[in-house]
Amino acid sequence: MYSDLETIKAQHDLRSIARSELGNPRTSTARYDVYRCPFHNEHHGYSLQVWADGFKCYGAKCGVTGDVITWHEMRYHMSKAEAIRFLRGDQIPGVKSKRRPAPAPARPVFLSEPPPAEWQRFARAVVDFADEQLWETAPGEKALGYLNARGIHDHTIQAAQLGYIPARDDRERTYGRVLFDDWRKPDGNPVRIACGIVIPHFADDHLWALRVRRAVGDPKYMGVAGGSKALYWSDTIQPGLPVLVVEGEFDALIAWQCAADLVSPVAIASASNADVNPYWFPKLMAAPRILARFDADAAGGKYLPKLAALSSCVVPCQVPAGKDVNEFYVMSEFRRDPIRCWLMEVS
Ligand SMILES: [Zn+2]
């Protein structure tokens, strides 16, 4: 058991985990990165230091410290056993994967129209495959545990038809899987699908895109080549309710899970999608109010003015704590009321 734990710790570079979860650090040295401490919801200073093998908050009243296992216990309300299981399922060392050549990112061309029927047919087959993997296999169970640990309930997972594509080896973990040999890109190469949690973008009776949230690697989210740009979760827009526009799919799903009667949440779903696809204008413009929750970083900062140019009822807003809806929900111990109070306040 002891050596098992040491192996798990050695295989996970906490610095890259923290970067993927907290974004770019405030400062960075050869040995550690510095952040605002998410554990005491720090607003002013930068008390958290993160090393490859541990973290510590130097805030006077906080002082949390630990290793990669503690990190997961504290951030995702996992027991120690759950954190170990979670990390054991994710065995590719972050450091090692950094040395591999980065996979060429699939760059879907975002058109205003849904993808061709053939693309959608294959993509639906991917959704079915991933659905089966998520609910009926052991690696899927782990992925389900991850989604639940982020506060996404089973019924929401089913409603969103989230799925899972396991990597069978390191190669697939890095380069993705070819599920259908006859599904080809315009250049003749087979379509590869990144391994991880599959998020289908259904809207208006079409499947517009598939995005995969990878367990490891950069970029964390990858699209499947050939998809178009949907307004994620826009099928649930209710006439008369304010629309809440957020960046991530999971944020939209959590807002929907907690407050579908208060707002209609949608996600732009990719930080690089700074353009508002005109196809979706009518859906957005019909809303009495558009609440927009974006990061102040480049992508969110670009999207907001474009949205504001379309409608005079855009209200920028931020979550009261944490970096996004999902993190706020986790910090609120998965209670609906803090999310609902926040949304009532801003709308
Ligand atoms: Zn702290």
Side-chain angles (χ1 to χ4, degrees):
M1 188 65 185
Y2 176 78
S3 66
D4 187 25
L5 285 188
E6 293 312 305
T7 309
I8 288 172
K9 290 182 202 172
Q11 282 177 333
H12 291 84
D13 176 6
L14 190 53
R15 280 181 84 171
S16 37
I17 292 173
R19 277 182 191 231
S20 71
E21 294 182 7
L22 305 177
N24 287 331
R26 163 77 178 186
T27 53
S28 184
T29 74
R31 288 180 45 242
Y32 61 86
D33 292 336
V34 179
Y35 298 91
R36 288 198 197 283
C37 175
F39 300 105
H40 74 279
N41 189 24
E42 185 167 38
H43 282 300
H44 300 296
Y46 296 86
S47 305
L48 183 74
Q49 291 191 10
V50 180
W51 294 265
D53 61 352
F55 66 94
K56 180 170 173 59
C57 173
Y58 290 91
K61 288 182 187 147
C62 180
V64 296
T65 182
D67 54 28
V68 69
I69 297 168
T70 329
W71 178 274
H72 284 80
E73 288 179 62
M74 293 181 58
R75 278 184 57 77
Y76 301 109
H77 304 276
M78 292 175 173
S79 68
K80 185 167 184 175
E82 283 168 340
I84 291 168
R85 243 180 289 136
F86 175 80
L87 290 165
R88 201 185 281 142
D90 171 8
Q91 299 252 319
I92 191 162
V95 182
K96 209 167 153 195
S97 68
K98 280 246 159 72
R99 272 190 234 120
R100 288 206 186 95
R107 292 212 178 279
V109 178
F110 289 115
L111 308 165
S112 300
E113 293 300 320
E118 197 208 2
W119 188 95
Q120 292 192 50
R121 201 176 62 243
F122 278 117
R124 279 174 202 267
V126 173
V127 172
D128 290 343
F129 173 82
D131 176 86
E132 210 178 291
Q133 297 294 312
L134 181 70
W135 295 98
E136 288 165 28
T137 67
E141 205 177 313
K142 213 167 298 162
L144 207 49
Y146 165 82
L147 289 167
N148 292 153
R150 285 185 71 153
I152 305 171
H153 298 163
D154 286 354
H155 66 83
T156 305
I157 295 168
Q158 280 168 333
Q161 297 185 59
L162 302 183
Y164 184 65
I165 297 186
R168 292 168 301 184
D169 54 33
D170 283 357
R171 205 187 139 72
E172 290 187 345
R173 206 167 275 121
T174 307
Y175 300 105
R177 277 175 78 159
V178 173
L179 286 184
F180 307 106
D181 200 43
D182 50 342
W183 189 15
R184 300 272 163 165
K185 292 189 285 188
D187 66 7
N189 288 316
V191 173
R192 281 185 179 277
I193 298 131
C195 293
I197 291 164
V198 177
I199 310 169
H201 287 208
F202 288 104
D204 268 3
D205 294 324
H206 289 284
L207 180 47
W208 291 71
L210 292 177
R211 288 221 307 155
V212 179
R213 200 274 181 203
R214 305 199 297 166
V216 289
D218 187 37
K220 195 159 55 165
Y221 286 86
M222 286 183 78
V224 172
S228 291
K229 184 178 165 186
L231 187 61
Y232 184 74
W233 216 236
S234 55
D235 279 348
T236 67
I237 290 180
Q238 300 288 324
L241 285 187
V243 169
L244 170 71
V245 189
V246 293
E247 288 187 15
E249 292 97 329
F250 294 160
D251 291 327
L253 292 177
I254 282 164
W256 180 75
Q257 183 178 289
C258 296
D261 56 326
L262 299 178
V263 296
S264 299
V266 298
I268 60 169
S270 170
S272 59
N273 291 347
D275 291 316
V276 186
N277 183 340
Y279 185 99
W280 306 105
F281 287 177
K283 285 214 173 199
L284 283 173
M285 293 315 104
R289 198 169 293 113
I290 300 173
L291 310 170
R293 211 301 313 165
F294 293 122
D295 292 344
D297 68 11
K302 259 186 259 164
Y303 196 88
L304 192 54
K306 291 188 180 169
L307 202 54
L310 289 176
S311 164
S312 58
C313 51
V314 174
V315 184
C317 59
Q318 286 302 336
V319 277
K323 67 176 162 56
D324 53 31
V325 178
N326 200 160
E327 197 174 288
F328 177 48
Y329 188 49
V330 173
M331 289 169 73
S332 310
E333 293 167 332
F334 308 111
R335 286 175 299 128
R336 295 165 75 216
D337 284 351
I339 301 267
R340 296 176 64 80
C341 288
W342 163 60
L343 287 169
M344 281 189 268
E345 249 166 57
V346 293
S347 51

